[in-house]
Amino acid sequence: MIGNTKHVSLYKNRNLWSGIMFGVGLVAFLDEAVFHQLLHWHHFYDKSTTAVGLVSDGIFHAFSWFATVGALYMVADLRRRKAFIFKRWLGSVLLGAGVFNFYDGTVQHKLMRLHQIRYDVDILPYDMAWNIIAICLLMIGIALLVQSGRESNQAGVNQKNALE
């Protein structure tokens, strides 16, 4: 942890939100690059022509980069202020990645039916793997956030005791 505990505690939410944005942007980028472009398994929107699918992929790709770059600007500002908490940020990156993956796998794939992971195969193993990975990311992210919260609370108690 960089800087004193009192100063860093003012920026806990910025660490959280920059991590979530980075996690969402990173996983969206990986999804788009791997499953849309390299493997050609689907487009962001598959209920129209290939041209519409490619345009939807471009919009999706732009969204992922805006989230990623915006998050990194927030990280740069946190580091400049000596308020960057790596464990909290990493936990929120994994939380954001897990939320995005779970949302994609349940809402976009199943409820809205914008696209599936793959077509013309037994989809169940793909859906299970997709959502199990999402849940694992969520759980690890939450665990890191809880742990970093306990550490910062303990550091605050130690600092308060030192001042008394």
Side-chain angles (χ1 to χ4, degrees):
M1 194 174 342
I2 300 170
N4 68 44
T5 304
K6 184 177 178 185
H7 180 70
V8 171
S9 68
L10 298 173
Y11 295 100
K12 283 173 71 172
N13 283 339
R14 287 190 94 184
N15 278 273
L16 176 77
W17 286 109
S18 67
I20 289 172
M21 282 176 49
F22 187 81
V24 167
L26 176 66
V27 169
F29 168 75
L30 291 173
D31 176 25
E32 201 270 330
V34 174
F35 299 106
H36 299 216
Q37 293 179 10
L38 297 174
L39 297 174
H40 298 265
W41 282 3
H42 63 263
H43 296 292
F44 178 77
Y45 184 73
D46 274 340
K47 292 186 173 215
S48 188
T49 64
T50 302
V52 170
L54 289 172
V55 169
S56 71
D57 285 348
I59 293 167
F60 180 55
H61 191 67
F63 158 78
S64 71
W65 274 111
F66 285 133
T68 305
V69 170
L72 291 175
Y73 272 101
M74 291 173 73
V75 167
D77 182 58
L78 287 165
R79 290 186 56 85
R80 182 181 61 80
R81 296 173 186 270
K82 300 194 181 328
F84 183 65
I85 309 166
F86 180 74
K87 187 180 279 187
R88 183 169 182 81
W89 186 79
L90 180 60
S92 55
V93 167
L94 296 172
L95 178 70
V99 165
F100 175 83
N101 232 35
F102 193 71
Y103 167 81
D104 186 41
T106 56
V107 175
Q108 290 183 354
H109 294 180
K110 299 304 172 199
L111 297 176
M112 296 173 70
R113 297 191 176 276
L114 294 177
H115 61 264
Q116 294 298 320
I117 296 171
R118 272 193 93 172
Y119 294 96
D120 302 322
V121 297
D122 179 15
I123 197 70
L124 184 62
Y126 292 93
D127 285 339
M128 289 184 65
W130 197 264
N131 289 317
I132 288 169
I133 290 168
I135 291 168
C136 289
L137 290 169
L138 279 165
M139 290 173 38
I140 295 167
I142 290 169
L144 284 172
L145 286 169
V146 167
Q147 186 180 26
S148 74
R150 285 185 186 144
E151 289 171 359
S152 68
N153 289 341
Q154 185 60 43
V157 168
N158 291 342
Q159 184 179 25
K160 182 180 174 190
N161 291 340
L163 295 173
E164 293 177 348

